[in-house]
Amino acid sequence: MSEITTLYYAIRIDLEQKTKELECVRKELNDIGKEQKSIVVKTINDNQYYYEQWRENGKVRYKSLGKVTPSGACDSEIKILRRKELLAREEELQFLITHLQTQLKKIRQWKDKESILSEYTFEVFWKDELSARVSVGKSRVHVSRYIKHPIHQIFSDELITRDQLNEVLKLRCFEEGRSDCAAKLKALGLSEYNPLEIVKKTHGVSFNDYIWIRFPGERLTSKDVLVRD
């Protein structure tokens, strides 16, 4: 996995965590109450009383907390302080989430551009016999077919688009919609369904035939990758 891909998934995980934290912060704020309250002391009949004070619908509201004692307003004070902490954290999380979303968008755009423009090659074998050599360009894919037998060959044309290549590679992968897809991706060290990246890991091997795919630099034979004799 490239550094940019590792960074992409690290940011995505961080974004998910901070989004969940923001939900928790907002839930706690809702439980405490939206009103910005303060503690005031009123003297009534020569006795001092604590009151919560806040503004609601343009009017000042009060709630009695009882006579003034050393800890008479403590519970209310704790809630007021906690609300300030939560509001500060909410603002901080909102800023961080926006920043992470921007980073993620830029990296995704870069990854998409890299994917579109990257050029690469690979070879397709039937057992140890070369079936095709594929050269992927920026917009077109050239296939040199050395076997025309339909069972030994996965390409029907010598010039295809990258989208068509992607569909061919999908046929050499497990289905994206299967229930254990996420588990299979995790076992391969992948976080998203990408036919090319899957084939790089599995070599496009199937129980149904003897076709497999080799990428440049791989010292492999059919005995190393095939799952059937």
Side-chain angles (χ1 to χ4, degrees):
M1 187 180 291
S2 67
E3 289 186 13
I4 194 69
T5 300
T6 301
L7 177 62
Y8 173 82
Y9 289 121
I11 291 175
R12 196 169 76 174
I13 291 171
D14 193 17
L15 177 60
E16 291 173 355
Q17 292 174 339
K18 284 183 169 52
T19 300
K20 289 180 181 178
E21 184 185 349
L22 180 59
E23 291 175 359
C24 293
V25 166
R26 286 175 171 169
K27 183 180 183 304
E28 189 176 349
L29 273 170
N30 188 63
D31 292 340
I32 290 176
K34 299 180 180 179
E35 300 85 4
Q36 182 176 347
K37 297 180 178 180
S38 59
I39 306 296
V40 297
V41 175
K42 289 190 174 187
T43 301
I44 302 174
N45 297 328
D46 297 326
N47 294 313
Q48 294 176 322
Y49 296 87
Y50 281 127
Y51 281 83
E52 281 186 346
Q53 175 182 285
W54 71 94
R55 184 173 292 276
E56 183 180 326
N57 298 325
K59 295 182 179 180
V60 178
R61 306 289 185 180
Y62 295 94
K63 178 183 176 182
S64 176
L65 301 175
K67 284 187 177 182
V68 172
T69 62
S71 60
C74 183
D75 290 343
S76 182
E77 289 168 343
I78 289 174
K79 284 186 178 181
I80 291 172
L81 292 173
R82 179 58 178 162
R83 182 178 180 277
K84 289 181 179 179
E85 291 175 358
L86 290 169
L87 287 172
R89 184 56 178 165
E90 180 186 34
E91 185 177 2
E92 182 180 23
L93 285 169
Q94 287 175 326
F95 173 82
L96 291 172
I97 287 171
T98 300
H99 178 66
L100 289 171
Q101 287 173 333
T102 301
Q103 283 188 311
L104 208 59
K105 182 179 179 181
K106 289 181 179 179
I107 293 176
R108 190 182 294 115
Q109 290 173 340
W110 189 92
K111 278 170 59 66
D112 291 343
K113 181 180 178 181
E114 180 188 41
S115 176
I116 293 172
L117 298 180
S118 62
E119 299 179 3
Y120 60 94
T121 63
F122 62 86
E123 294 177 332
V124 183
F125 284 83
W126 169 268
K127 295 187 177 180
D128 286 325
E129 184 180 359
L130 183 62
S131 171
R133 182 173 175 81
V134 182
S135 298
V136 183
K138 292 182 178 180
S139 59
R140 304 293 286 178
V141 179
H142 185 267
V143 182
S144 299
R145 296 184 298 161
Y146 300 100
I147 300 177
K148 299 296 177 70
H149 195 293
I151 296 179
H152 299 184
Q153 178 63 253
I154 60 175
F155 294 100
S156 59
D157 296 302
E158 295 186 349
L159 191 63
I160 61 176
T161 65
R162 292 178 71 117
D163 287 339
Q164 289 172 321
L165 172 62
N166 194 57
E167 292 303 314
V168 172
L169 293 178
K170 276 186 180 180
L171 297 175
R172 307 306 301 180
C173 302
F174 49 85
E175 294 180 0
E176 185 175 6
R178 60 186 293 166
S179 59
D180 61 346
C181 180
K184 284 186 169 291
L185 289 173
K186 184 177 180 180
L188 294 173
L190 301 174
S191 300
E192 62 182 2
Y193 190 91
N194 183 313
L196 175 60
E197 295 302 320
I198 292 172
V199 169
K200 285 181 179 180
K201 301 281 187 177
T202 65
H203 302 287
V205 171
S206 169
F207 283 100
N208 301 319
D209 55 44
Y210 297 101
I211 292 174
W212 62 283
I213 296 172
R214 187 190 75 84
F215 290 89
E218 294 180 331
R219 297 182 184 274
L220 299 171
T221 67
S222 61
K223 291 181 179 180
D224 298 315
V225 295
L226 291 181
V227 293
R228 56 180 290 192
D229 297 327

